[in-house]
């Protein structure tokens, strides 16, 4: 978080804090209609890329040796090291994956928003809230938490007011943590009896 704030202020200092736009992949006014509902090609492209990314990440983590090494290192770094896993390499690749996914999220969101140095801070907070709601350590939990948060915030915006979106998000976190501290889908612990 500290590095993020440092980078935000550095970018603002070098290139100013003026709002900018990012060009969309498709014409922003091109839509198609499904039973009276208009959907933009940009939003469909974003949805397709996100679903493909989730499937690829899940397959990588569950079907490759390096994915298994990443999960083992996340579970218990000392045990992974004793099993011969190069935990430094695993951590470096994990950070590279996280950075790449964060960059992909920024590129997908940028055409939807105005760009300024701290435009990802709100997204970062919402992602953190969604992960808490869904459950740490579970990809499906993070997805479910994001969907739940997005739908409930949209309903709140329509029926109450957009001013309460942040308050609602953190109230939901408190409610979920007080009922189930591990989130909606808790992390699975792997164990093998000897």
């Amino acid at each position: 978080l500290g590095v993020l704030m440092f980078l935000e202020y550095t970018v603002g200092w070098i290139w100013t804090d003026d709002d900018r736009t990012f060009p969309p992949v498709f014409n922003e006014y091109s839509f198609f209609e499904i039973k009276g509902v208009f959907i933009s090609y940009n939003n469909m492209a974003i949805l397709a890329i996100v679903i493909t990314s989730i499937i690829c990440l899940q397959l990588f983590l569950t079907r490759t040796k390096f994915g298994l090494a990443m999960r083992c290192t996340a579970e218990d770094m000392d045990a992974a090291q004793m099993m011969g896993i190069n935990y430094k390499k695993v951590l470096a690749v994990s950070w590279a994956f996280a950075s790449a996914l964060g960059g992909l999220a920024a590129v997908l969101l940028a055409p939807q928003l105005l760009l300024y140095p701290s435009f990802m801070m709100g997204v970062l907070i919402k992602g953190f809230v969604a992960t808490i709601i869904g459950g740490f350590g579970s990809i499906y939990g993070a997805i479910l938490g994001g969907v739940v948060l997005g739908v409930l915030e949209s309903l709140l915006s329509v029926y109450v007011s957009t001013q309460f979106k942040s308050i609602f998000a953190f109230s939901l976190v408190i409610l979920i943590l007080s009922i189930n501290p591990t989130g909606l889908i808790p992390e699975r612990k792997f164990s093998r009896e000897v």
Side-chain angles (χ1 to χ4, degrees):
L1 191 58
V3 172
L4 176 67
M5 292 175 71
F6 172 76
L7 291 174
E8 284 176 6
Y9 289 113
T10 304
V11 166
W13 178 63
I14 294 172
W15 289 288
T16 72
D17 290 332
D18 296 337
D19 293 345
R20 298 171 192 231
T21 57
F22 191 80
V25 177
F26 297 103
N27 180 358
E28 60 185 312
Y29 300 110
S30 58
F31 294 90
F32 64 93
E33 180 184 356
I34 300 176
K35 295 188 178 188
V37 176
F38 292 95
I39 303 170
S40 74
Y41 286 107
N42 271 331
N43 289 343
M44 288 308 295
I46 289 171
L47 182 64
I49 292 169
V50 166
I51 290 172
T52 304
S53 300
I54 291 169
I55 291 169
C56 289
L57 179 63
Q58 180 65 21
L59 290 174
F60 174 76
L61 290 174
T62 58
R63 305 288 168 106
T64 65
K65 284 187 176 183
F66 202 83
L68 179 63
M70 288 173 79
R71 291 185 1 228
C72 289
T73 304
E75 184 81 30
D76 188 350
M77 194 177 302
D78 293 331
Q81 189 176 5
M82 285 190 279
M83 297 299 287
I85 295 173
N86 184 352
Y87 74 96
K88 290 181 180 179
K89 182 178 179 182
V90 169
L91 291 177
V93 171
S94 298
W95 277 102
F97 263 106
S99 299
L101 289 173
L104 178 65
V107 168
L108 293 176
L109 277 174
Q112 309 288 323
L113 306 168
L114 286 175
L115 300 181
Y116 49 93
S118 63
F119 93 101
M120 285 299 286
M121 185 59 79
V123 176
L124 177 71
I125 291 171
K126 297 291 176 156
F128 185 66
V129 167
T131 304
I132 291 172
I133 291 170
F136 282 108
S138 169
I139 293 174
Y140 298 119
I143 295 168
L144 178 65
V147 169
V148 166
L149 181 64
V151 168
L152 291 178
E153 277 190 345
S154 296
L155 290 173
L156 182 79
S157 297
V158 169
Y159 294 111
V160 182
S161 172
T162 58
Q163 295 176 337
F164 298 115
K165 284 173 75 171
S166 295
I167 295 170
F168 176 73
F170 291 112
S171 300
L172 188 60
V173 166
I174 292 169
L175 178 69
I176 294 290
L177 288 178
S178 63
I179 294 171
N180 188 6
T182 58
L184 297 175
I185 301 177
E187 177 183 15
R188 291 186 319 173
K189 294 287 185 182
F190 300 99
S191 64
R192 184 180 296 172
E193 292 189 24
V194 182

